[in-house]
Amino acid sequence: MGMNCVFKMDANIVMLGTGNVGKSALTVRFLTRRFIGEYGHIESIYSHNVLVDGRETAFNIWDAPCSQCCESSRQEKQAQWADGFILVYSICDRASFNAVARMVPHIRAARDHAGAEKVPIVIVGNKRDLHHYRTVSSEEGRLLALGTDCQFYEVSAAENYHGVLMVFHGLAERIREARAAGRKPAAAAAGIKGIVKSMSAVFARKRTESL
Ligand SMILES: Nc1nc2c(ncn2[C@@H]2O[C@H](COP(=O)(O)OP(=O)(O)OP(=O)(O)O)[C@@H](O)[C@H]2O)c(=O)[nH]1
């Protein structure tokens, strides 16, 4: 087991998505295997060491409530820091899906440049247990991911631990592959400005929509 330390990998993951979609619920489910129902609105960076395919992996997960995600200094830090993104929407909330759809190309444009590996992104449709209230079909989620080279999962943080595990492990695998294929994905200075601007735009628009 000690030998695994040689291969220890750090994976900095940023959770993004509009309010109430379950970013904290997914994070806490992954960390503790539990669903506790209410999570408050506290920004946290959690660290968690686990084995992914026999490799020791240190997950650092940045979970910020949506109310704070418009602050550009925070977005700039996140964009610099992230090795991978988890973009969360609720299958019962069409606006949250639209926000994710707008975010993906902006992250791609900001973080991906010629010759570099694409920054790994996982799109997650959460609250699958509430299928009676579904307004976003699985097909739409799948197509969005397919067209933008993202991974896609539909999960329920409330009801299923395994699906949530797959999200985080899947992203860790992609981060490892991206590193093996090239250098560690890093944001170019211009790219960071781009991502900050576009994330502000996405969330500003979301606010207007919900008024
Ligand atoms: N039924 C159901 N409810 C869920 C699920 N995931 C989260 N919730 C609920 O949705 C609400 C919002 O969850 P949070 O994890 O706080 O959402 P968030 O995206 O972190 O929200 P912000 O902090 O506002 O950005 C809570 O009441 C959760 O209990 C799920 O899979 N199914």
Side-chain angles (χ1 to χ4, degrees):
M1 284 299 279
M3 286 298 287
N4 281 325
C5 297
V6 175
F7 305 111
K8 186 163 174 173
M9 183 184 91
D10 263 295
N12 292 349
I13 295 172
V14 169
M15 309 294 292
L16 289 176
T18 54
N20 219 38
V21 294
K23 298 180 294 296
S24 300
L26 290 164
T27 305
V28 170
R29 184 60 124 159
F30 175 59
L31 296 172
T32 68
R33 299 183 180 230
R34 292 185 185 180
F35 179 76
I36 55 176
E38 291 310 321
Y39 299 88
H41 299 284
I42 301 161
E43 177 175 38
S44 308
I45 297 180
Y46 300 95
S47 290
H48 187 52
N49 288 307
V50 282
L51 292 179
V52 178
D53 261 10
R55 276 165 227 273
E56 197 171 332
T57 306
F59 284 91
N60 305 305
I61 305 167
W62 189 333
D63 174 34
C66 183
S67 53
Q68 294 176 359
C69 60
C70 299
E71 291 169 25
S72 61
S73 60
R74 174 176 283 93
Q75 290 171 5
E76 190 164 330
K77 278 193 208 124
Q78 287 181 331
Q80 269 170 320
W81 181 83
D83 297 312
F85 294 87
I86 296 180
L87 305 190
V88 187
Y89 66 90
S90 159
I91 66 157
C92 313
D93 177 357
R94 158 86 31 198
S96 72
F97 177 74
N98 293 343
V100 165
R102 288 195 296 262
M103 245 179 266
V104 180
H106 289 304
I107 293 173
R108 287 261 170 267
R111 286 286 304 253
D112 299 342
H113 15 269
E117 281 299 303
K118 283 199 163 104
V119 65
I121 301 174
V122 184
I123 295 171
V124 177
N126 187 37
K127 308 201 184 184
R128 196 179 189 181
D129 54 295
L130 300 179
H131 50 89
H132 297 308
Y133 303 103
R134 181 192 281 277
T135 55
V136 184
S137 71
S138 306
E139 201 54 26
E140 285 174 276
R142 222 186 327 274
L143 282 175
L144 172 63
L146 204 64
T148 50
D149 202 8
C150 299
Q151 286 173 289
F152 173 67
Y153 299 89
E154 259 193 14
V155 301
S156 165
E159 290 195 345
N160 188 306
Y161 168 67
H162 184 72
V164 176
L165 194 69
M166 300 276 289
V167 168
F168 285 91
H169 282 206
L171 182 54
E173 280 296 314
R174 288 284 294 265
I175 291 171
R176 194 180 58 74
E177 284 164 16
R179 284 206 188 131
R183 58 187 176 70
K184 177 178 169 172
I192 291 165
K193 294 222 175 67
I195 201 172
V196 169
K197 252 167 78 186
S198 58
M199 278 161 66
S200 306
V202 164
F203 287 107
R205 217 173 308 167
K206 164 70 169 83
R207 283 230 185 98
T208 322
E209 266 172 21
S210 58
L211 286 175

